[in-house]
Amino acid sequence: MPLLAPTRPVTPVHSLSLLLPNCWAYHSIKFAQFPFLLPRPSNCMLGFTAVLRRQQFLIRALGGSGEKVRSRGSAAGIKVMARGNFEADAEKVLRRITPALDPTRHKGQAGKIAVIGGCREYTGAPYFAAISALKIGADLSHVFCTRDAATVIKSYSPELIVHPILEESYSVRDEDEGFISSKTVAEVAKWIERFDCLVIGPGLGRDPFLLDCVGEILKLARRSNIPVVIDGDGLFLVTNNLDLVSGYALTVLTPNVNEYKRLVQKVLDSDVNDQDAPEQLLALAKSIGGITILRKGKSDLISDGRTVNAVSTFGSPRRCGGQGDILSGSVAVFSSWARQTTAEVDATFSTSNPMVLGCIAASALLRKAASVAFESNKRSTLTTDIIEHLGRSLEDISPAC
Amino acid sequence: MPLLAPTRPVTPVHSLSLLLPNCWAYHSIKFAQFPFLLPRPSNCMLGFTAVLRRQQFLIRALGGSGEKVRSRGSAAGIKVMARGNFEADAEKVLRRITPALDPTRHKGQAGKIAVIGGCREYTGAPYFAAISALKIGADLSHVFCTRDAATVIKSYSPELIVHPILEESYSVRDEDEGFISSKTVAEVAKWIERFDCLVIGPGLGRDPFLLDCVGEILKLARRSNIPVVIDGDGLFLVTNNLDLVSGYALTVLTPNVNEYKRLVQKVLDSDVNDQDAPEQLLALAKSIGGITILRKGKSDLISDGRTVNAVSTFGSPRRCGGQGDILSGSVAVFSSWARQTTAEVDATFSTSNPMVLGCIAASALLRKAASVAFESNKRSTLTTDIIEHLGRSLEDISPAC
């Protein structure tokens, strides 16, 4: 019996495909289980109306016209939605992208991750992200943070490599800002080619000088074609500077409720629409040039502007701080693994976007680990307890050998 | 039943002895199990050709001439090689060199180790090396590192004695360099006679001023006849300054794939030759004046320019960073123990070089501990988990009482 019994039957993703008149290309839009917005199964007429409304929204979001649209497969889509089973087969994704442990491989081939975060105030968040990456199976995990934060983060664990290179305004004179900024970016540049993914934001803080430096690091990552997962204060940075990530397909944003709200207001100039959550997320991701967005919530929704997936298996009712950091570190590892296996994955899943697959896998693993940790620790469950269950939870789904 | 069942039957070392015309001395060359280069047992002719080729290489590497060589015992060597069983009897070595725990002995007699390493960026590596020495059974373990690193390394464990004496360029003015360097070496000189072995390199970094100081410490160790195990950035230092170790028989180098590649290029002016790996390693060790080299890989190969041994028991498919640090700390302890028991060991093994015996023992113990740790932790196995299994793994092979 699995450690985490899903609260509802889990079925593979089903597709509702629309042929869009303005580009004459098919967009496969996959919906998952959104009990908060779906009609009750017994009320088919209401369900049909809701689907039609959603279709219209999608067409508008994707630049088409409601009058001209021709629908393919929508009847099947409506039927499936009325059943209420739309969950991504996240465990299958996990199994497919997690690489076999091969004794002939050498250090680094299972993943090298770096977290950019950690300042005078925050040290736990970058630690959680970096150690989660190792606990899932990455070989090396680095943290780039301020000097104050480095001593503390190093002391949490000898397993991490911590670079005390970031500076905050309080330690930099105005006339030195240009020099310090260039030096900081040059330090990261020495290492960046070695990394499979950067996690930008956990415990970064909002110091303007520090955020400017991190903006430059983000540009460097983009020039170097290194994937980035952006969370926490990194989202504050990119929400105010969308050009940093717009059109860079190797980007994942992992906003929580408030971060998502700011993003929607900034990009779509509207409020969050929970009734049409997947459509709005799809439109948002598309508007930022096809980056991947993982909207954290009761169900995690994931879109890259072409598809929408959801992971809704129940995790834990505990909302202790730090779980988002586990998620960002996990997305970094899984998306790196997915990038190595994309060719094989293509034939199995409707999306081959490794950033999306990485999000699905990370979301499912965190939920499973949180569930097991809660089973043992109940109200006293902390992020550290969940991290301790990442390995066993992954092993249950995708045994190492 | 042993905790780690070897993947192949393990048999004692067999010898292929060559009489070399230029020095008229016997060189006992022991080959181990190299499945990637050995002929299949059923193909004896191919095997015979491979052995001849290898013989010719060895003769050239050792300064002899193929035409003039007279072989003793080569037929037996060929026969054994065709069977494909060449593994060193590492557990026997471990049992013979591990000293009995005697209540009459006092603190320090089971080993006093010092690690030279730990800088602003790296603190985990020197900790792993130093704590591994203690966990195996050394009595005292010191770390000499920079001030920044010292606070952190001290916080990892109260068991270590940590000296914050090294300096990096950023904290030293040009005009003070000579003074600071002399002061640093003088601090180490106060202690060095007490140590049975120095481990030089884990987490040392590549700061030029720091490396210059460590070069001076290496010269001091050599003048004091203190054995040295060199790993990580220490290998970067000696690869660029071979005179530091050349001809100093109490030296062990423990290169990984990339470090070995740089060493071969620098010393032999050629690329790594995996087909003739033992011969190339033998030539390399001989070229640096008979120091011992432990080439880390799927099989660990060990040579002092006279013999080649291998340890191939399967450890773990995890390649998390830090395992090399366990190895370097372990080689320091086991080679120190082997130096105390060499007279007894002489009659049992074909080599009496304590540095080689220390490498064999350390390699075997790390692999066993890694195997047990992986059994429990699978993909989430980290270096700390392996260290926790060093004691039990040694106890299984060589019970304390």
Side-chain angles (χ1 to χ4, degrees), chain A residues 98-99 101 103 105 107 134-139 154-155 157-159 161-164 191 391-392 394-395 401, chain B residues 119-124 127-128 152 155-156 298 314 317-321 374 376 378-380 382-384:
Chain A
T98 302
L101 279 175
R105 302 183 100 195
K107 186 172 74 178
L134 287 181
K135 288 281 187 177
I136 288 169
D139 285 342
K154 282 168 185 283
S155 74
S157 168
E159 312 281 355
I161 299 167
V162 183
H163 307 257
W191 290 89
R392 172 57 55 194
L394 180 55
E395 183 67 15
C401 51
Chain B
C119 64
R120 189 166 60 156
E121 276 178 329
Y122 304 113
T123 51
Y127 164 73
F128 288 143
V152 177
S155 77
Y156 290 148
K298 190 181 170 193
F314 184 66
R318 272 289 274 151
R319 293 288 174 267
C320 51
F374 182 76
S376 302
K378 302 292 181 184
R379 287 181 197 276
S380 68
L382 299 184
T383 296
T384 307

Side-chain angles (χ1 to χ4, degrees), chain B residues 257-294:
Chain B
V257 172
N258 290 325
E259 292 156 349
Y260 188 73
K261 188 176 169 189
R262 282 196 291 271
L263 204 54
V264 166
Q265 284 169 342
K266 184 72 188 281
V267 179
L268 301 180
D269 194 22
S270 68
D271 293 328
V272 172
N273 177 355
D274 281 331
Q275 284 298 105
D276 298 307
E279 295 85 346
Q280 190 173 46
L281 178 64
L282 189 92
L284 182 66
K286 187 174 157 62
S287 295
I288 315 178
I291 65 169
T292 298
I293 302 174
L294 190 167

Side-chain angles (χ1 to χ4, degrees), chain A residues 107 158 161, chain B residues 113-133 141-146 149 153 156 166 198-206 210-211 214 228-237 252 254 259 296 322-332:
Chain A
K107 186 172 74 178
I161 299 167
Chain B
I113 304 301
V115 178
I116 313 287
C119 64
R120 189 166 60 156
E121 276 178 329
Y122 304 113
T123 51
Y127 164 73
F128 288 143
I131 200 75
S132 296
S141 195
H142 292 239
V143 177
F144 291 82
C145 60
T146 68
I153 298 171
Y156 290 148
L166 301 180
L198 299 188
V199 181
I200 296 180
L204 198 58
R206 295 203 177 175
L210 179 57
L211 289 181
V214 173
V228 291
V229 178
I230 299 174
D231 190 38
D233 295 316
L235 289 169
F236 175 79
L237 171 67
V252 175
T254 54
E259 292 156 349
K296 295 181 282 198
Q323 295 184 60
D325 307 310
I326 301 179
L327 186 73
S328 63
S330 306
V331 170

